[in-house]
């Protein structure tokens, strides 16, 4: 089948692909396992590019274990559910040293004089996955799920550099490597900064971020996430156990030889004193690690004793996890300040006497909202109890009543906006207050502007938050419509101080870029213009549905609350918010001025013909006249539907060059017709 589309690979290509694969694997290994850079980024990229090009030219040479897979690109809309061959058990865990002592004494008693030792290792705070290797090749990666069934995340796992795609040296023929995918702190923080800059919600902690990353639909996105795999365990059928050393310590050593990343922080311990010393050490030292841990795991080292110790209902008796308690300190409150968010929500912040906690100095922590403050019943000069657990952000968990000064007065939540002085309001049933001056209160106004130019809204990337602030400070912009009436002469020479304290000036070229980007905004479809307006509760999806339902802004502005609430996914509260937004004459003026500036205020029907009505396509491969997105858009413009995976509902597999072999196989199995580019073009041309 594949030969339909390409010439067989010549020997020279086969040999070069093999050479490149070995070289790149070697450089990757040294870089990620041994922190050694053997070539420049430039040279490395050139080798990888050469490999990718050869694999494109000769798809039969593109193996699932090729280092080119690390770049990702495979898209999975849903993740197949996979039954674990060996259930993924959890460990008994405890926060108490006494229970660790009990575990140790019980184990010794059960083993009744047989000599044995323990291994102590870190309990990585991430997402557990199982990797199946057959004949030394990674064939499947599955999340823990409920322990019996998990999600197939193989494409995403392949992008993680510390997961070997092919093993080295000696290895069992068929086994599963288990471990934890963690998000190292520095990469996590960089990613969250980027998310905030893009207007996306930041992740609460590295564990959630690791989990979210493994579930990304596009593996190329996962490749950017810089995840790390820490291997901690090997599962294999009983009859193959002799292929491995008979201690857990030895097995992890041999895993290292196979190419897995095994953290060096593992210690063989002979008794409870050794174990306690290990726990104590890491309880303090954990803050100096480049990734998060939430405890220590203690295992009987001799694997042949595991069967003898057996299982409880849920977990093995040969291992236990000790979990670290969140660190807690008490420090005096100096002052409560209030922060106004982009949506007007006013958040109280406790400013405290600086205190060392979990590896950083803590000065400020959120008091969340009025309800939370009331519950804590904070008084002047109170000592606050601050905790840092798995989260990086410190949390206020209480007040140290014993240290309260006699006669100290309770602190009240503010009644006015700290930014604009407006009386705050509290929506019924909400935990906090907000400032209703949404068009005049500075953080809210800047928030609107930033939202408006954001990637998912008008996508005007030459206007970042610094430049918007500059325009505001210069008195040029007070609402989103003002942006479209800026004159070149007003922009050139505008100055401000950057966050780093440097003077920034808009030059002629910068001004032209801004004006061009604003002009290009005329191409943005109505649904995104609607989303960009920033109406409370109207998200991307809601805006799309409203745009489709009403077709243009005039019909939307004329709609009653009842009518708005008939739109799919628009509830009573959102309907009321939309109605109130357009009831404000200032907002109507903004809309008029945006319309005058040429922005789309109605849905443009992009339908060209009905030639493909009722047909469902799956697209695969590379096309001569279209990019992948273009061909999908063309299908839709002619009334067809595009789906990402082949099923009995698929009419055609639209196959370009290098069509995916899996897709071909499935199409054949289900009797889905193959359609080539030229035939497709005939179909859409027909009158
Ligand atoms: S051993 C049969 N070792 O902690 C038990 N688990 O309940 C195999 N974890 O979600 C697990 N670090 O993913 C083991 N060094 C380590 C670990 C570890 C983290 C996780 C594991 C599971 C939980 C144990």
């Amino acid at each position: 089948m594949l030969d339909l589309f390409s010439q067989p690979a010549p020997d020279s290509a086969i040999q070069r692909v093999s050479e490149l694969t070995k070289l790149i694997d070697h450089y990757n290994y040294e870089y990620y396992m041994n922190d050694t850079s053997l070539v420049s980024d430039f040279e490395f990229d050139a080798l990888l590019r050469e490999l990718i090009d050869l694999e494109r030219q000769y798809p039969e040479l593109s193996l699932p274990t090729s280092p080119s897979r690390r770049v990702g690109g495979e898209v999975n809309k849903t993740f197949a559910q996979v039954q674990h061959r060996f259930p993924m058990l959890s460990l008994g865990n405890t926060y108490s040293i006494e229970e660790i002592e009990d575990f140790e004494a019980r184990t010794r008693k059960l083993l009744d004089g047989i000599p044995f030792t323990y291994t102590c290792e870190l309990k990585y705070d991430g997402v557990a996955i199982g990797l199946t290797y057959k004949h030394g090749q990674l064939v499947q990666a599955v999340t823990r799920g409920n322990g019996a069934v998990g999600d197939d995340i193989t494409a995403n796992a392949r992008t993680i550099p510390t997961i070997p795609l092919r093993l080295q040296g000696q290895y069992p023929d068929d086994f599963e490597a288990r471990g934890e995918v963690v998000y190292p702190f520095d990469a996590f923080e960089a990613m969250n900064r980027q998310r905030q800059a893009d207007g996306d919600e930041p992740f609460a902690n590295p564990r959630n971020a690791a989990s979210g990353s493994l579930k990304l639909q596009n593996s190329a996105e996962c490749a950017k996430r810089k995840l790390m795999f820490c291997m901690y365990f090997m599962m294999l059928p009983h009859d193959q156990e002799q292929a491995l050393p008979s201690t857990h310590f030895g097995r992890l050593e041999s895993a290292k030889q196979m190419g897995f990343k095994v953290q060096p922080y593992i210690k063989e311990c002979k008794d409870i004193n050794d174990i306690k010393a290990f726990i104590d050490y890491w309880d303090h030292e954990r803050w100096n690690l480049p990734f998060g841990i939430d405890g220590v795991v203690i295992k009987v080292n001799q694997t042949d004793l595991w069967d003898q110790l057996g299982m409880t209902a849920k977990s093995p008796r040969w291992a236990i996890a000790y979990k670290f308690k969140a660190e807690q300190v008490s420090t005096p409150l100096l002052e409560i300040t209030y922060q106004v968010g982009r949506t007007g929500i006013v958040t109280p912040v406790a400013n405290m006497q600086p205190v060392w906690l979990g590896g950083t100095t803590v000065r400020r922590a959120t008091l969340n909202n009025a309800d939370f403050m009331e519950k804590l019943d904070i008084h002047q000069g109170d000592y606050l109890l601050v905790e840092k657990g798995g989260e990086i952000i410190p949390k206020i968990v209480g007040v140290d009543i014993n240290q309260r000064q006699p006669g100290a007065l309770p602190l009240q939540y503010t009644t006015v906006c700290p930014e604009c002085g407006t009386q705050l309001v509290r929506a019924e049933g909400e935990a906090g207050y907000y400032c209703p001056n949404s068009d005049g209160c500075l953080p809210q106004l800047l928030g609107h502007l930033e939202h408006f130019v954001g990637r998912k809204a008008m996508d005007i990337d030459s206007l970042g938050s610094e430049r918007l602030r500059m325009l505001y400070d210069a008195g040029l912009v007070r609402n989103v419509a003002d942006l479209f009436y800026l004159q070149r002469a007003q922009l050139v020479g505008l100055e401000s101080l950057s966050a780093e304290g440097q003077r920034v000036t808009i030059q002629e070229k910068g001004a032209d870029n801004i004006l061009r980007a604003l002009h290009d905004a005329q191409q943005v479809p109505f649904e995104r213009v609607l989303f960009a307006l920033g109406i409370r509760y109207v998200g991307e999806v809601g805006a799309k549905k409203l745009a489709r339902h009403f077709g243009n802004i005039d019909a939307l502005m004329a709609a009653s609350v009842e009518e708005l609430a008939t739109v799919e996914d628009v509830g009573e509260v959102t309907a009321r918010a939309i109605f109130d937004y357009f009831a404000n004459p200032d907002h109507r003026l903004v809309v008029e001025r945006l319309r005058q500036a040429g922005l789309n205020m109605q849905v443009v029907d992009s339908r060209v013909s009905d030639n493909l009505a009722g047909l469902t396509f799956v697209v695969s491969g590379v096309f001569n006249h279209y990019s992948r997105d273009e061909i999908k858009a063309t299908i839709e413009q002619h009334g067809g539907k595009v789906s990402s995976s082949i099923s009995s509902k698929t009419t055609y597999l639209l196959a370009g060059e290098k069509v995916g072999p899996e897709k071909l196989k499935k199409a054949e199995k289900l009797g889905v017709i193959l359609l080539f580019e030229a035939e497709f073009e005939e179909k859409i041309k027909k009158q």
Side-chain angles (χ1 to χ4, degrees):
M1 257 314 204
L2 286 171
D3 294 342
L4 268 177
F5 309 107
S6 55
Q7 300 287 322
D11 285 352
S12 58
I14 298 173
Q15 199 186 336
R16 184 64 183 150
V17 164
S18 155
E19 271 167 22
L20 286 166
T21 302
K22 282 191 198 127
L23 257 182
I24 296 170
D25 275 347
H26 177 60
Y27 293 151
N28 261 333
Y29 182 83
E30 287 301 320
Y31 187 79
Y32 289 103
M33 304 289 173
N34 297 333
D35 288 331
T36 313
S37 205
L38 296 177
V39 280
S40 67
D41 286 359
F42 181 78
E43 279 172 90
F44 184 87
D45 289 344
L47 294 172
L48 189 58
R49 189 74 256 158
E50 190 186 344
L51 177 64
I52 292 172
D53 287 347
L54 278 170
E55 289 178 346
R56 281 237 171 98
Q57 201 175 345
Y58 306 109
E60 76 266 35
L61 301 184
S62 168
L63 302 177
T65 52
S66 163
S68 63
R69 300 287 171 128
R70 302 242 185 246
V71 184
E74 202 174 307
V75 177
N76 278 300
K77 271 249 173 305
T78 53
F79 295 93
Q81 296 272 295
V82 180
Q83 173 107 28
H84 289 293
R85 178 152 60 133
F86 312 104
M88 278 183 92
L89 303 172
S90 61
L91 294 179
N93 65 59
T94 175
Y95 288 93
S96 125
I97 285 288
E98 289 73 41
E99 286 188 24
I100 297 295
E101 287 170 351
D102 291 348
F103 161 82
E104 200 280 331
R106 197 172 48 238
T107 310
R108 228 172 336 108
K109 192 161 162 229
L110 282 168
L111 291 176
D112 194 22
I114 304 175
F116 71 99
T117 55
Y118 299 96
T119 56
C120 286
E121 63 198 81
L122 305 182
K123 185 171 182 323
Y124 312 108
D125 192 10
V127 181
I129 62 168
L131 304 171
T132 301
Y133 286 86
K134 290 199 172 144
H135 318 299
Q137 302 204 348
L138 173 70
V139 293
Q140 194 170 51
V142 182
T143 60
R144 180 174 187 279
N146 63 8
V149 177
D151 289 328
D152 183 335
I153 45 128
T154 313
N156 284 344
R158 283 204 182 99
T159 68
I160 301 176
T162 39
I163 292 182
L165 303 180
R166 271 178 317 149
L167 303 180
Q168 310 163 1
Q170 302 262 304
Y171 43 78
D173 204 41
D174 181 3
F175 74 103
E176 199 179 316
R178 297 228 169 128
E180 204 88 355
V181 174
V182 297
Y183 216 132
F185 290 135
D186 52 355
F188 168 75
E189 274 155 26
M191 183 263 313
N192 253 356
R193 273 198 299 275
Q194 185 60 46
R195 283 180 77 83
Q196 273 167 308
D198 290 345
D200 291 329
E201 194 62 27
F203 284 105
N205 57 49
R207 186 184 348 98
N208 291 359
S211 169
S213 305
L214 289 179
K215 298 285 182 59
L216 283 167
Q217 292 184 344
N218 183 348
S219 59
E221 289 301 310
C222 186
K224 293 183 197 150
R225 291 289 176 92
K226 306 215 168 74
L227 298 168
M228 185 165 83
F229 176 69
C230 301
M231 202 249 186
Y232 58 62
F233 194 59
M234 253 188 254
M235 278 306 280
L236 68 177
H238 264 314
D239 58 341
Q240 287 180 44
E241 294 241 349
Q242 61 283 4
L244 289 174
S246 63
T247 61
H248 180 62
F249 200 88
R251 287 185 178 186
L252 291 186
E253 274 304 309
S254 55
K256 240 189 268 176
Q257 305 305 320
M258 294 175 205
F260 288 102
K261 179 115 188 162
V262 177
Q263 292 299 328
Y265 322 104
I266 168 165
K267 198 162 182 261
E268 189 170 356
C269 291
K270 59 179 189 318
D271 56 23
I272 187 70
N273 291 330
D274 282 1
I275 294 174
K276 280 190 194 165
F278 188 87
I279 290 176
D280 273 353
Y281 179 80
W282 284 108
D283 200 354
H284 296 108
E285 211 39 43
R286 63 178 153 142
W287 303 110
N288 294 325
L289 284 167
F291 50 81
I293 61 171
D294 58 345
V296 160
V297 178
I298 302 134
K299 299 173 185 161
V300 168
N301 192 20
Q302 286 66 26
T303 54
D304 51 347
L305 300 177
W306 290 359
D307 269 351
Q308 192 169 331
L309 289 162
M311 299 267 304
T312 65
K314 283 189 301 205
S315 45
R317 275 206 196 85
W318 45 264
I320 191 164
Y322 174 81
K323 301 244 280 186
F324 296 131
K325 289 181 207 63
E327 273 195 38
Q328 199 183 76
V329 288
S330 138
T331 186
L333 170 72
L334 303 176
E335 184 195 9
I336 295 178
T337 51
Y338 294 87
Q339 256 174 10
V340 185
R342 295 158 169 222
T343 54
I345 298 287
V346 178
T347 307
V349 178
N351 295 261
M352 300 165 287
Q353 179 108 11
V355 61
W356 185 252
L357 176 68
T360 51
T361 304
V362 175
R363 296 184 166 80
R364 290 152 59 80
T366 179
L367 285 163
N368 302 314
N369 51 47
D371 272 2
F372 186 75
M373 254 178 78
E374 210 167 290
K375 218 162 67 200
L376 287 180
D377 186 28
I378 304 186
H379 285 51
Q380 280 170 340
D382 265 352
Y383 276 68
L384 301 181
L385 297 172
V386 195
E387 226 178 66
K388 203 158 166 189
E391 328 282 304
I392 292 179
I393 300 155
K395 251 195 335 217
I396 294 177
V397 292
V399 168
D400 191 350
I401 297 280
N402 298 329
Q403 301 206 53
R404 178 164 292 163
Q405 309 294 318
L409 294 174
L411 290 171
Q412 303 297 337
Y413 192 88
T414 184
T415 54
V416 294
C417 174
E419 294 282 344
C420 68
T422 305
Q423 190 75 27
L424 299 182
V425 291
R426 186 174 196 165
E428 200 158 325
E430 302 241 336
Y433 286 81
Y434 73 92
C435 165
N437 181 18
S438 77
D439 297 329
C441 176
L442 183 58
Q444 296 192 66
L445 173 54
L446 290 173
H448 287 317
L449 292 169
E450 282 172 26
H451 168 80
F452 184 80
V453 300
R455 201 164 37 88
K456 292 177 181 159
M458 302 303 291
D459 195 17
I460 305 176
D461 65 358
S462 51
L463 283 176
S465 52
E466 249 168 48
R467 283 205 166 153
L468 290 171
R469 177 73 204 230
M470 224 170 179
L471 296 173
Y472 175 87
D473 287 345
L476 295 174
V477 171
R478 288 291 176 267
N479 60 50
V480 296
D482 290 342
L483 292 170
F484 295 91
Y485 296 87
L486 289 167
Q487 305 289 320
R488 193 168 184 275
Q490 293 174 312
L491 294 172
V492 176
L494 263 190
E495 274 194 351
S496 79
L497 281 185
S498 75
E500 292 80 35
Q502 271 169 347
R503 193 168 289 283
V504 193
T505 311
I506 298 184
Q507 309 288 347
E508 301 207 342
K509 206 168 142 216
D512 288 337
N513 283 343
I514 294 174
L515 293 175
R516 192 175 325 111
L518 286 163
H519 183 262
D520 290 349
Q522 293 182 4
Q523 306 305 321
V524 172
F526 172 51
E527 61 198 44
R528 271 173 51 202
V529 176
L530 186 55
F531 170 62
L533 289 178
I535 304 169
R536 212 178 255 265
Y537 311 122
V538 177
E540 253 181 299
V541 178
K544 210 178 256 183
K545 296 204 165 143
L546 286 163
R548 277 201 203 131
H549 183 97
F550 290 101
N552 63 60
I553 195 101
D554 296 309
L556 177 65
M557 289 198 294
S560 64
V561 176
E562 293 71 32
E563 220 176 323
L564 287 162
T566 61
V567 179
E568 195 187 343
D569 287 349
V570 174
E572 188 70 29
V573 177
T574 310
R576 162 75 38 207
I578 300 168
F579 184 84
D580 288 349
Y581 180 89
F582 289 119
N584 181 334
D586 291 345
H587 294 158
R588 285 182 173 253
L589 184 60
V590 165
V591 169
E592 271 329 302
R593 292 177 66 221
L594 290 175
R595 193 200 311 255
Q596 291 297 323
L599 296 202
N600 274 316
M601 290 298 166
Q602 61 186 29
V603 175
V604 179
D605 190 0
S606 59
R607 182 69 73 93
V608 179
S609 86
D610 281 331
N611 287 3
L612 307 180
L615 309 178
T616 303
F617 292 75
V618 170
V619 177
S620 176
V622 180
F623 299 90
N624 290 323
H625 299 138
Y626 309 84
S627 72
R628 194 77 79 85
D629 284 342
E630 281 165 3
I631 207 155
K632 286 182 181 168
T634 309
I635 293 172
E636 283 170 351
Q637 281 163 6
H638 290 273
K641 264 217 232 134
V642 181
S643 148
S644 60
S645 60
I646 298 182
S647 71
S648 54
K649 295 202 188 92
T650 314
T651 331
Y652 293 112
L653 171 59
L654 180 49
E657 268 180 58
K658 296 164 204 164
V659 52
E662 290 298 321
K663 291 232 161 75
L664 270 181
K665 234 191 274 165
K666 189 138 187 220
E668 216 168 340
K669 200 168 130 203
L670 295 177
V672 171
I673 308 161
L674 270 188
L675 188 73
F676 298 107
E677 187 171 346
E679 298 170 297
F680 171 75
E681 291 186 315
E682 278 307 306
K683 269 192 185 302
I684 57 173
K685 255 195 259 150
K686 256 192 346 215
Q687 287 301 310

